[in-house]
Amino acid sequence: MSKKQIENNNAPFVQPNEQLDQEETKYTIARVPFYKRLFAAVIDLCFFLLVSFGLLTLCYFTVFNALGYHEKISQIHQLYAESGLYVKNEAGEFLTYLDVYDENKSPMANLDEPITYFYSHDQRAILDNKLEFYNNEKIKSGFFVYDGDEIVAKEGVKYDDIRPFLEEQFDSAVYYFKSNPIYLNNSTFTYYTLIFTILIIVVLSSSGFYLVVPLISKFGVTFGQMIFKFALIDKEKNIMASKKKVVFRYLSFATINIFAPVLLYTRVPYLSLIPLFISILWMAFNKNNFAPHDYISNTYLGLKLSLLNQEKHGSIYRHKSDYSLPRIDDPAQ
């Protein structure tokens, strides 16, 4: 063997694509395109919402009935109807007269009459002399005067001047109505019954779709991901993720995309979808289309075919540390 052949045989082995970006060589299994991942997530979400809604409906007609939920709701509606401050619309919702203000009527007809009726008929309001207090406030405002036993709008005062005062007084009447112990107890009970039921259903449904299914599936993926033939990959080892990784991935995914939005909804409903939007934007605009839970769990979604090819034929690329491996001499030489 010539000196030149010996040098060649002892040279480090280099892949033909050694010029590939160093970041690319970290992932030996083809990663899932963003649009496919998004479609799979939408399919999973539809299944998840369908099952969750079904469970909630079942609870509504069974568990809620046993807990007395419907009875307490009926008592709340009765309080609304008897107060004179609320009106029931065609959809069956109770709205205040301030919400359904009729511009064709005067502020007196829209607001003063309901306030006076409430303070004159509610037993708590009668005991607390709320009507007397309200009448005193009307006189103090300068917009009203006594006309015999009645209080009427002062001559020359415009309705536009009276309206803000009456709106403030109406809000005070509604606040007083909602301080009723029966209303408070019933509304608190029904609210937390609904919230905790939703939380339990979300936990059960999400753990079924996003944890149990991946744990029992061959490639650690959900129904939607199965349709697109994905596989869950361990980012460190570039092999199929272990069951432990599947569990950790579910916990990080559920915390960010399910539990955080639900808990936010109970406090600030208009902010509830922010964690989900952040997760989608993060996935859409980073180089590898990884979501936050991918980074936390150190996993990523790869194509199942690519994983099978790697297991059968070996990796297409090697890590940079593998480039220095000595080349094996050909026994035939």
Side-chain angles (χ1 to χ4, degrees):
M1 186 180 294
S2 66
K3 182 178 180 182
K4 186 174 182 180
Q5 286 177 318
I6 294 173
E7 289 176 353
N8 286 338
N9 285 337
N10 291 330
F13 174 68
V14 178
Q15 288 282 27
N17 327 9
E18 186 180 0
Q19 299 301 322
L20 285 171
D21 186 88
Q22 182 178 346
E23 181 70 18
E24 290 292 329
T25 64
K26 292 180 181 179
Y27 308 106
T28 63
I29 297 168
R31 281 155 290 162
V32 171
F34 171 71
Y35 73 94
K36 282 190 176 182
R37 184 169 183 177
L38 191 60
F39 287 154
V42 170
I43 292 172
D44 285 329
L45 181 62
C46 289
F47 278 118
F48 167 71
L49 292 177
L50 186 63
V51 170
S52 297
F53 181 76
L55 289 175
L56 184 59
T57 303
L58 180 64
C59 288
Y60 184 82
F61 291 107
T62 56
V63 178
F64 282 21
N65 214 17
L67 293 174
Y69 177 91
H70 300 296
E71 182 182 351
K72 292 185 183 297
I73 287 291
S74 296
Q75 290 176 0
I76 292 173
H77 288 176
Q78 185 177 354
L79 289 173
Y80 282 145
E82 291 176 352
S83 70
L85 299 173
Y86 292 81
V87 60
K88 196 174 185 178
N89 63 11
E90 295 179 356
E93 300 172 321
F94 281 94
L95 303 174
T96 68
Y97 279 99
L98 189 57
D99 296 325
V100 294
Y101 193 95
D102 189 348
E103 297 293 344
N104 296 319
K105 295 181 180 179
S106 69
M108 305 295 292
N110 273 296
L111 303 174
D112 179 64
E113 290 179 8
I115 296 172
T116 302
Y117 178 89
F118 173 59
Y119 287 151
S120 302
H121 292 78
D122 184 82
Q123 293 300 314
R124 291 175 60 246
I126 294 171
L127 292 174
D128 291 338
N129 297 316
K130 294 297 292 183
L131 181 60
E132 182 181 349
F133 176 81
Y134 172 56
N135 287 333
N136 289 336
E137 291 297 310
K138 288 166 72 174
I139 298 299
K140 288 180 183 178
S141 70
F143 300 132
F144 300 88
V145 293
Y146 278 105
D147 183 12
D149 293 334
E150 295 183 358
I151 298 178
V152 297
K154 187 184 292 185
E155 188 177 349
V157 174
K158 297 179 180 178
Y159 284 153
D160 289 341
D161 297 329
I162 297 176
R163 182 171 172 174
F165 166 77
L166 290 178
E167 287 179 351
E168 183 181 350
Q169 293 300 314
F170 190 90
D171 285 335
S172 297
V174 170
Y175 181 82
Y176 182 80
F177 164 78
K178 290 184 176 181
S179 68
N180 185 325
I182 297 176
Y183 175 86
L184 280 175
N185 292 335
N186 288 358
S187 59
T188 301
F189 173 83
T190 53
Y191 174 79
Y192 282 108
T193 297
L194 184 61
I195 291 298
F196 281 116
T197 301
I198 290 174
L199 281 174
I200 292 171
I201 288 174
V202 164
V203 170
L204 292 175
S205 300
S206 66
S207 60
F209 276 102
Y210 299 107
L211 177 60
V212 176
V213 172
L215 281 174
I216 62 178
S217 70
K218 184 177 180 180
F219 295 97
V221 293
T222 61
F223 286 131
Q225 293 162 358
M226 289 179 195
I227 294 173
F228 288 93
K229 298 181 179 180
F230 297 167
L232 185 62
I233 309 301
D234 186 320
K235 192 162 63 173
E236 292 178 331
K237 301 176 182 178
N238 280 303
I239 59 174
M240 197 168 68
S242 65
K243 302 296 184 185
K244 184 178 179 180
K245 288 275 189 180
V246 171
V247 173
F248 190 51
R249 178 184 174 86
Y250 162 74
L251 292 175
S252 55
F253 166 81
T255 300
I256 296 170
N257 299 300
I258 299 176
F259 302 140
V262 170
L263 292 175
L264 273 174
Y265 181 80
T266 63
R267 299 298 178 186
V268 277
Y270 51 88
L271 297 179
S272 59
L273 293 179
I274 285 182
L276 187 58
F277 285 142
I278 291 175
S279 187
I280 293 173
L281 291 174
W282 192 330
M283 183 171 59
F285 292 105
N286 74 75
K287 183 178 180 180
N288 298 305
N289 298 135
F290 289 168
H293 56 275
D294 292 321
Y295 289 102
I296 295 172
S297 61
N298 220 12
T299 60
Y300 69 95
L301 288 172
L303 296 177
K304 181 173 72 174
L305 182 61
S306 179
L307 172 65
L308 294 176
N309 284 337
Q310 172 171 290
E311 291 177 348
K312 186 175 181 180
H313 303 294
S315 175
I316 298 173
Y317 308 122
R318 291 185 180 181
H319 292 284
K320 190 174 180 181
S321 59
D322 294 338
Y323 292 168
S324 60
L325 293 175
R327 189 174 177 180
I328 301 174
D329 290 340
D330 186 349
Q333 288 186 342

